[in-house]
Amino acid sequence: MKLNINIAGIEWKNPVTTASGTVNSGKEYSPYVDFSKLGALTTKSVSAKPWKGSQTPRIAETYGGMVHSIGLQNPGIDEFIQRDIPYFKKLDTAIIVNICAREENDFVEVARRLEEASGIHMLELNLACKSDDLGGFRFAQNTKWTESVLAKVKKVTNLPVIAKLTPNVTDIAEIAKAAEAGGACALSLINSVSAMRINIETRKPILASAMGGLSGPAIKPIALRCVYQAYKAVNIPIIGMGGIMTGEDAIEFLMAGATAVGVGMAHFINPRAALEVIEDIEAYMEKHGIDDVVELTGAAH
Amino acid sequence: MKLNINIAGIEWKNPVTTASGTVNSGKEYSPYVDFSKLGALTTKSVSAKPWKGSQTPRIAETYGGMVHSIGLQNPGIDEFIQRDIPYFKKLDTAIIVNICAREENDFVEVARRLEEASGIHMLELNLACKSDDLGGFRFAQNTKWTESVLAKVKKVTNLPVIAKLTPNVTDIAEIAKAAEAGGACALSLINSVSAMRINIETRKPILASAMGGLSGPAIKPIALRCVYQAYKAVNIPIIGMGGIMTGEDAIEFLMAGATAVGVGMAHFINPRAALEVIEDIEAYMEKHGIDDVVELTGAAH
Amino acid sequence: MDERITKEIFYGEVLENKLLVGEVYDMTFKAPKEVQKARAGQFLAIYTGNPSMLLPRPISICEVDIVQGTFRVIYRVAGHGTAELAKLKPGDSLRVLGPVGTAFKVDSKHTNFALVGGGIGTPPMLQLAKKIRNQIPHAYISVYLGFRSKFQVILENDLMRYANEVVVATDDGTMGIKGNVIDTFPPDPNFDVIYSCGPSIMLKFLSQYAQERDIPCYVSVEEYMACSVGACLACVVKVKSKTDDDGWDYKRVCMTGPVFNSKELEWK
Amino acid sequence: MDERITKEIFYGEVLENKLLVGEVYDMTFKAPKEVQKARAGQFLAIYTGNPSMLLPRPISICEVDIVQGTFRVIYRVAGHGTAELAKLKPGDSLRVLGPVGTAFKVDSKHTNFALVGGGIGTPPMLQLAKKIRNQIPHAYISVYLGFRSKFQVILENDLMRYANEVVVATDDGTMGIKGNVIDTFPPDPNFDVIYSCGPSIMLKFLSQYAQERDIPCYVSVEEYMACSVGACLACVVKVKSKTDDDGWDYKRVCMTGPVFNSKELEWK
């Protein structure tokens, strides 16, 4: 039974990674779960300079999910390289570093720094980042911005570059095509869905930033739809994510068109969630006589 | 304590209506709940000609919600007028008829027919309808289409026209503004979120139409965000809906900027849900010493 | 208001909920008021109790006991929702909407009844057999049941309480006749009427069979449901229509059905 | 792998879960293995058991009984999640992550201890008092508690098991001194150290008080949490930083805290 996959020349021992932002760089969860058993570890976003992130409260629970505005707090690429790369070297899994930026140049800058560093296998651009240059919109809310930033990053790195897209668009297919045109080796779908909660006692939004991203099983059907639509639109592989809690969820994503999946918020409910997803996929394949996990990709089309 | 509101000259005895499509024209639920106690009753979409709707399966359960593609099955305006208007006359509530169409002219045609009929208080245009004329997109996925269809309908009717918008857009604020410019007396926010489920045993989408709309408490935070953004963008009232199960949910919508709320899928879990929402709002107002429900509208801004 | 509020969600108290065969459970619960209204063929919309699975599950009434005030339902754990029901223990509370839907109509002029159950479609046949026996003491009730194998057979003995004969077929021949349920019919049937519930492929063949022989045939059909009261139009089925241009129209299983005259259905 | 899997989610068996005062519940549950690791000041992330509310609720450890193998937690029903916990009955199972977070450090050189609890911040003071008493038998432990009214007062008697004195203040004067908890301090305190948990406004004033008098002061702070293990960066608090340009940086309450040296916190 073949569980391993290959995305842009990078071998994953199985089709499961972490969704960026949910396990930081992996260390905090390491007493609970061995991330070396995953196909890949996707880090929290790192930016050129340190970002302090949002004011608190940063999260609010919702029905079957949570809205969050962490504000991409991170120590910046310098400290990231110093602090996390030695840790990654102890792990036996593909390392995907997610990059955030408020302007194109910063995406390029961080990509350049990571190109120089060692022990990194893939980059993932968080194109749900908002930019003042874009009138407060997100990079992946426009085909030109999406293609442009990817093309510029591709120029400075030989690492495969994954484009992580936002579902907060009218037409995910056209954005997916733009990412492919820009040189993305794969798409990560989806980032969180723009949302909010209000505290009816204080009469204020719960999040200090008012709005944030919705994650968790509540959004899984939206994420599946985006993967399904993008699969029809592009030829590059898709890493599906959004509310995956179980192997059944993951298999839905594979059938919708994903080659791999990311497990995110599920870690907060069960730190071993990603491992259990792998086990469940294996059990499903065994039960259904599937020899190679890639047979599941796009099976629902 | 003042619970009644006024939208475009139409008096609602309280700020609660039904979300279109969930209670048909009201009759089926009438053994379970007295819709005369609501501020308004919003009907299922009616089109110029009879629509058969989607193949089955038409629904699939999701975590905290459901995806559905009923395909707007309805008997067409002729039978609607004959069958439902006599029933509406027995109800002591504002009647809002929701209209669906695949082309502008049909919106106009149905509005004209309803203008001639009696016993109707408001119209609601389902601008989440897809159109071949629009390349398969939805009317409310484009500012021009939104404004245009509203303006045309406004020409043939004196009834106030509500624009029901889809959340499946990059920028709900600009669509809201277009609807206001087109002459909408109010916005209904939100229609369901494009989504899907896959059956991992049959390896097919569960819905015959593959994709459908996600409803239920899962989408409430998305709906709240849309209401919050639209409230900042327009001056017309907003009817908030999407996953309202309780009075607390409804109050969040009011505080996000809604003047009224629609209760939808909650009926399937509790046929008395809308009445309980009214009771909960009253209890909240009493507890917090609020004299007029409109004080809650936009309180979180 | 001319409309009166006559219906409401009710709570039943679980008395028993036991594994019958395979993944099939047999649950009895108390709801003295509501059993009075129940008729053979109707179903209950049972809520899972798990807030992540909000929609009720439509489950046929297998048997009602007016004296004890109990419903009996037999259901298969087909997914996570029914798995929640399987967890219920005696004393637990069950949230239910119903009974809803149309009933099997029994014509007192009929004498020879064929009741045909396929797999998990068998349960409603029990209350129907009971009803026929009560209404027509001299009725000759033949029950034909089809299952995958002997390990799935249910209700055979229960049905014998009311039926004159119960004939079983299994796909693999491990019990009764090997083959499908229609293979068990007598060569020259004298059925006045056929009632059935089971997989749609079985209902389709049965419908054909009945039509060829001009035997009235009533079938209970299934479809994904949301509201269970006729409002949402999720659970529709194609029904022949003389006025419709296509010759068929969608009817609601929860409202016009679940029991249909098989002649009216548009079989694909 | 150089990392070893040393931690996992565990299940506790509820022994007692009773209403204490107002909306405050007192729950004891068995988890013999995990109590061994618990230290005063740490908390447990307790799952609601309701699938619509997925995140665990951070709840301070009130008391551990190593012999009985039990945790005691006291929590207020502040929302739907804690309302789910309040429904738990003896024999029920409870899903828990932890103990997590930093502990109150007790310096054996200290003699005079002030433990200050505000409202639902009181519970962790109990295990702390117990720890101090065990570690420093001759310690003089003064406990100062502040509540809205006498109807909210909790743990006064429990604390007397370990404390030399327990002084209560209420906002409305219905019990003890009328006013806030700092009003109950002696005019010339000889505190070697202050420990506290309570509303942030109280902690802020207490921190000021301690700093003016150069008394070490440790406070346990609260913030909305998601992962409880330091990964998600939801539960941050502003901590003074010499290297940061703004003079402060965000630290994780679940990891660097919940117990902080009050001097390190950036009070707004």
Side-chain angles (χ1 to χ4, degrees):
Chain A
M1 219 163 60
K2 187 173 168 298
L3 214 63
N4 56 313
I5 57 161
N6 185 303
I7 298 182
I10 307 299
E11 191 75 10
W12 295 26
K13 64 168 75 88
N14 59 59
V16 179
T17 185
T18 54
S20 177
T22 54
V23 304
N24 214 355
S25 284
K27 240 181 267 184
E28 291 83 358
Y29 270 111
S30 63
Y32 296 89
V33 55
D34 180 0
F35 285 128
S36 288
K37 292 184 175 158
L38 302 195
L41 174 75
T42 306
T43 71
K44 184 169 172 59
S45 294
V46 59
S47 52
K49 301 278 170 214
W51 284 10
K52 286 197 166 165
S54 305
Q55 301 276 316
T56 58
R58 290 178 166 188
I59 61 145
E61 193 172 61
T62 71
Y63 204 108
M66 61 185 282
V67 282
H68 46 89
S69 168
I70 305 296
L72 299 170
Q73 179 185 337
N74 81 86
I77 188 63
D78 289 347
E79 191 177 325
F80 177 87
I81 287 175
Q82 214 180 347
R83 183 191 73 178
D84 292 335
I85 288 192
Y87 168 73
F88 297 147
K89 291 190 174 162
K90 297 180 195 164
L91 294 178
D92 175 26
T93 187
I95 301 296
I96 304 173
V97 178
N98 181 292
I99 304 174
C100 62
R102 294 197 193 92
E103 38 189 290
E104 272 195 347
N105 289 343
D106 284 350
F107 275 115
V108 173
E109 167 63 15
V110 178
R112 199 194 314 267
R113 293 293 307 281
L114 289 164
E115 172 73 12
E116 292 161 5
S118 61
I120 306 294
H121 304 94
M122 308 179 91
L123 303 182
E124 180 178 76
L125 304 195
N126 178 353
L127 299 183
C129 286
K130 289 176 186 171
S131 169
D132 285 341
D133 297 350
L134 315 175
F137 282 94
R138 304 168 194 276
F139 284 91
Q141 285 183 318
N142 178 293
T143 53
K144 271 187 216 151
W145 306 336
T146 300
E147 185 174 343
S148 167
V149 65
L150 279 159
K152 284 187 182 150
V153 167
K154 283 296 290 176
K155 275 190 198 148
V156 302
T157 184
N158 291 311
L159 292 171
V161 178
I162 302 161
K164 185 161 182 181
L165 304 182
T166 171
N168 302 305
V169 294
T170 303
D171 183 4
I172 193 71
E174 67 163 19
I175 306 290
K177 282 181 200 161
E180 185 177 37
C185 74
L187 305 177
S188 279
L189 283 173
I190 59 172
N191 213 311
S192 55
V193 184
S194 184
M196 79 183 301
R197 280 287 321 271
I198 287 167
N199 180 328
I200 66 170
E201 295 303 322
T202 63
R203 303 191 194 187
K204 284 181 189 156
I206 297 182
L207 300 184
S209 315
M211 291 178 278
L214 181 62
S215 294
I219 67 164
K220 189 190 74 171
I222 302 171
L224 281 170
R225 182 264 303 173
C226 289
V227 169
Y228 189 81
Q229 290 181 318
Y231 183 78
K232 286 188 192 294
V234 300
N235 292 310
I236 50 177
I238 296 166
I239 305 166
M241 61 194 72
I244 293 175
M245 299 287 280
T246 66
E248 290 178 24
D249 295 334
I251 294 163
E252 279 192 81
F253 274 91
L254 298 178
M255 290 181 172
T259 297
V261 296
V263 176
M265 183 184 165
H267 287 98
F268 306 164
I269 292 90
N270 172 15
R272 293 188 75 259
L275 297 195
E276 290 175 12
V277 165
I278 298 168
E279 289 158 14
D280 289 354
I281 294 174
E282 270 189 289
Y284 178 92
M285 288 172 64
E286 193 148 347
K287 184 177 165 199
H288 292 78
I290 291 157
D291 294 325
D292 188 337
V293 71
V294 300
E295 292 171 33
L296 297 174
T297 296
H301 286 261
Chain B
M1 219 162 61
K2 187 173 168 299
L3 214 63
N4 56 314
I5 58 162
N6 185 302
I7 297 182
I10 306 301
E11 191 75 10
W12 296 25
K13 62 168 75 91
N14 59 59
V16 178
T17 185
T18 53
S20 176
T22 55
V23 304
N24 213 356
S25 285
K27 240 180 270 183
E28 291 83 358
Y29 271 112
S30 63
Y32 296 90
V33 56
D34 180 1
F35 286 128
S36 288
K37 293 185 174 157
L38 302 195
L41 175 75
T42 306
T43 71
K44 183 168 175 61
S45 295
V46 60
S47 52
K49 300 277 171 216
W51 286 8
K52 287 201 165 161
S54 305
Q55 300 277 317
T56 57
R58 290 177 165 189
I59 61 145
E61 193 172 62
T62 70
Y63 205 107
M66 62 187 280
V67 283
H68 45 89
S69 168
I70 306 297
L72 300 169
Q73 179 185 336
N74 81 86
I77 188 64
D78 290 346
E79 190 177 327
F80 177 87
I81 288 176
Q82 214 181 346
R83 182 191 73 178
D84 293 335
I85 288 193
Y87 169 73
F88 297 148
K89 290 189 174 162
K90 298 180 196 165
L91 294 178
D92 174 26
T93 187
I95 301 295
I96 304 173
V97 178
N98 182 293
I99 304 174
C100 61
R102 296 197 190 92
E103 38 190 289
E104 271 194 351
N105 288 343
D106 283 349
F107 275 114
V108 173
E109 167 63 15
V110 178
R112 200 194 314 267
R113 295 292 308 280
L114 288 164
E115 173 72 11
E116 290 161 6
S118 61
I120 306 293
H121 304 94
M122 309 179 88
L123 304 181
E124 181 178 76
L125 304 194
N126 178 355
L127 299 183
C129 285
K130 289 175 187 172
S131 170
D132 285 341
D133 297 349
L134 314 175
F137 281 94
R138 303 167 194 276
F139 284 91
Q141 286 184 317
N142 177 295
T143 53
K144 270 186 218 155
W145 305 335
T146 300
E147 185 174 342
S148 168
V149 65
L150 280 158
K152 286 187 182 151
V153 167
K154 282 297 289 175
K155 275 190 199 149
V156 301
T157 184
N158 291 310
L159 292 171
V161 178
I162 303 162
K164 184 159 183 182
L165 305 181
T166 171
N168 302 307
V169 294
T170 303
D171 183 5
I172 193 72
E174 67 163 19
I175 305 290
K177 282 182 202 162
E180 187 177 36
C185 75
L187 305 176
S188 279
L189 284 171
I190 58 175
N191 213 310
S192 55
V193 184
S194 182
M196 79 183 301
R197 281 284 324 270
I198 287 167
N199 180 330
I200 65 170
E201 296 303 322
T202 63
R203 304 192 192 185
K204 284 181 188 156
I206 298 181
L207 300 184
S209 315
M211 292 179 278
L214 182 63
S215 292
I219 67 164
K220 190 190 73 171
I222 302 170
L224 281 169
R225 182 264 302 173
C226 290
V227 170
Y228 188 82
Q229 290 181 318
Y231 182 78
K232 287 189 192 293
V234 298
N235 293 311
I236 50 178
I238 296 165
I239 306 165
M241 60 196 70
I244 293 176
M245 300 286 280
T246 67
E248 292 179 23
D249 295 335
I251 294 163
E252 280 192 78
F253 274 90
L254 298 178
M255 290 182 172
T259 296
V261 296
V263 175
M265 182 184 166
H267 287 99
F268 307 163
I269 293 89
N270 173 14
R272 293 188 77 261
L275 296 195
E276 290 175 13
V277 164
I278 298 168
E279 289 160 15
D280 290 354
I281 294 173
E282 270 189 287
Y284 177 91
M285 288 172 65
E286 192 148 347
K287 184 176 167 199
H288 293 78
I290 291 156
D291 295 325
D292 188 337
V293 70
V294 300
E295 291 171 35
L296 296 175
T297 296
H301 285 263
Chain C
M1 270 302 289
D2 69 324
E3 300 285 345
R4 285 176 47 219
I5 306 306
T6 55
K7 295 183 182 176
E8 60 181 355
I9 298 252
F10 70 91
Y11 290 85
E13 185 201 339
V14 177
L15 300 181
E16 191 174 51
N17 189 24
K18 62 173 192 228
L19 186 65
L20 211 53
V21 297
E23 293 158 318
V24 175
Y25 285 76
D26 186 344
M27 177 159 63
T28 302
F29 62 93
K30 212 171 171 88
K33 200 175 121 206
E34 288 77 13
V35 289
Q36 309 296 329
K37 309 177 195 164
R39 291 173 298 148
Q42 289 192 298
F43 65 93
L44 302 169
I46 304 182
Y47 291 92
T48 68
N50 179 322
S52 74
M53 296 179 279
L54 289 163
L55 296 176
R57 269 52 183 171
I59 298 182
S60 300
I61 296 168
C62 172
E63 199 174 2
V64 301
D65 186 325
I66 305 281
V67 179
Q68 300 293 322
T70 55
F71 282 105
R72 181 183 181 192
V73 292
I74 291 182
Y75 58 96
R76 191 167 68 85
V77 172
H80 298 295
T82 37
E84 292 289 321
L85 299 186
K87 288 182 200 163
L88 289 167
K89 292 182 295 290
D92 285 350
S93 179
L94 189 68
R95 195 162 171 270
V96 186
L97 185 149
V100 279
T102 51
F104 288 111
K105 279 181 215 111
V106 175
D107 186 338
S108 292
K109 294 198 293 288
H110 289 160
T111 305
N112 292 304
F113 292 84
L115 275 57
V116 185
I120 199 62
T122 301
M125 294 300 116
L126 182 58
Q127 183 61 29
L128 175 60
K130 194 169 175 176
K131 176 191 166 78
I132 296 170
R133 179 59 64 216
N134 287 341
Q135 186 176 328
I136 311 169
H138 65 278
Y140 192 88
I141 305 174
S142 303
V143 177
Y144 303 93
L145 304 178
F147 298 97
R148 269 191 292 127
S149 82
K150 70 172 178 179
F151 304 110
Q152 275 81 44
V153 175
I154 53 171
L155 290 173
E156 200 200 0
N157 294 331
D158 294 74
L159 282 158
M160 273 311 292
R161 282 191 270 140
Y162 309 108
N164 298 79
E165 56 174 339
V166 176
V167 184
V168 172
T170 52
D171 293 345
D172 63 1
T174 46
M175 185 167 170
I177 292 162
K178 180 171 176 167
N180 72 60
V181 73
I182 300 177
D183 298 336
T184 66
F185 289 176
D188 292 305
N190 61 346
F191 305 151
D192 294 322
V193 60
I194 299 173
Y195 297 99
S196 184
C197 183
S200 59
I201 183 76
M202 183 191 97
L203 298 183
K204 183 182 170 176
F205 284 121
L206 193 63
S207 172
Q208 231 161 25
Y209 176 95
Q211 221 160 329
E212 284 162 12
R213 289 161 183 78
D214 209 21
I215 305 168
C217 177
Y218 297 91
V219 296
S220 174
V221 303
E222 262 200 323
E223 192 45 72
Y224 283 77
M225 268 181 206
C227 77
S228 317
V229 305
C232 75
L233 311 192
C235 65
V236 294
V237 65
K238 287 181 183 173
V239 170
K240 293 194 180 88
S241 163
K242 280 172 188 155
T243 56
D244 189 273
D245 290 345
D246 305 324
W248 62 266
D249 209 352
Y250 278 126
K251 295 286 179 191
R252 293 161 288 183
V253 171
C254 68
M255 195 90 177
T256 312
V259 178
F260 289 90
N261 183 329
S262 75
K263 278 199 291 194
E264 290 169 7
L265 292 171
E266 176 77 6
W267 301 97
K268 271 188 312 243
Chain D
M1 272 301 290
D2 70 323
E3 301 284 345
R4 283 176 47 217
I5 306 306
T6 56
K7 295 182 182 176
E8 59 180 355
I9 299 253
F10 70 92
Y11 290 85
E13 185 201 340
V14 176
L15 300 181
E16 191 173 50
N17 189 25
K18 62 173 190 226
L19 186 66
L20 212 53
V21 296
E23 293 158 318
V24 176
Y25 284 76
D26 186 344
M27 177 160 62
T28 303
F29 62 92
K30 211 170 171 90
K33 199 175 122 203
E34 288 77 12
V35 290
Q36 309 296 330
K37 308 177 194 163
R39 291 172 299 147
Q42 290 191 299
F43 65 94
L44 301 169
I46 305 183
Y47 291 91
T48 68
N50 179 322
S52 75
M53 297 179 278
L54 289 165
L55 297 175
R57 271 50 183 171
I59 297 181
S60 301
I61 295 167
C62 172
E63 200 176 0
V64 300
D65 186 325
I66 305 281
V67 179
Q68 300 294 322
T70 56
F71 282 105
R72 182 183 180 192
V73 291
I74 292 181
Y75 59 95
R76 190 168 69 85
V77 172
H80 299 293
T82 38
E84 292 289 322
L85 299 185
K87 288 182 200 165
L88 290 167
K89 292 182 295 291
D92 284 349
S93 180
L94 188 69
R95 195 161 171 270
V96 186
L97 185 150
V100 279
T102 52
F104 287 112
K105 279 180 215 112
V106 175
D107 186 338
S108 292
K109 294 198 295 287
H110 289 159
T111 304
N112 292 303
F113 292 85
L115 276 55
V116 185
I120 199 61
T122 302
M125 295 298 117
L126 182 59
Q127 183 60 29
L128 175 60
K130 193 170 175 177
K131 176 192 166 78
I132 296 170
R133 182 57 67 213
N134 286 343
Q135 184 177 333
I136 310 168
H138 66 278
Y140 192 89
I141 305 174
S142 304
V143 178
Y144 303 94
L145 303 179
F147 298 97
R148 270 191 293 127
S149 84
K150 70 172 177 181
F151 304 108
Q152 276 79 44
V153 175
I154 54 171
L155 291 174
E156 201 199 358
N157 295 331
D158 293 75
L159 282 157
M160 273 309 292
R161 283 191 268 141
Y162 310 107
N164 299 81
E165 55 174 341
V166 177
V167 183
V168 172
T170 53
D171 294 345
D172 64 0
T174 47
M175 185 169 171
I177 292 162
K178 180 173 175 166
N180 72 59
V181 71
I182 299 176
D183 298 337
T184 65
F185 289 177
D188 293 306
N190 62 348
F191 305 151
D192 294 324
V193 61
I194 299 172
Y195 297 99
S196 184
C197 181
S200 60
I201 184 77
M202 183 191 99
L203 298 182
K204 182 183 171 176
F205 284 121
L206 193 66
S207 172
Q208 231 162 28
Y209 175 96
Q211 220 161 331
E212 284 163 13
R213 287 160 184 80
D214 209 22
I215 305 169
C217 177
Y218 297 91
V219 297
S220 175
V221 303
E222 263 201 322
E223 191 47 69
Y224 284 77
M225 269 182 204
C227 76
S228 316
V229 305
C232 75
L233 311 191
C235 66
V236 294
V237 65
K238 287 181 181 172
V239 170
K240 293 194 181 89
S241 163
K242 281 174 186 149
T243 55
D244 188 272
D245 291 344
D246 305 324
W248 62 265
D249 208 353
Y250 277 127
K251 297 284 180 192
R252 293 161 289 184
V253 170
C254 68
M255 193 92 178
T256 314
V259 178
F260 289 91
N261 184 329
S262 76
K263 277 198 293 194
E264 291 168 8
L265 292 171
E266 176 78 6
W267 300 96
K268 271 188 310 246

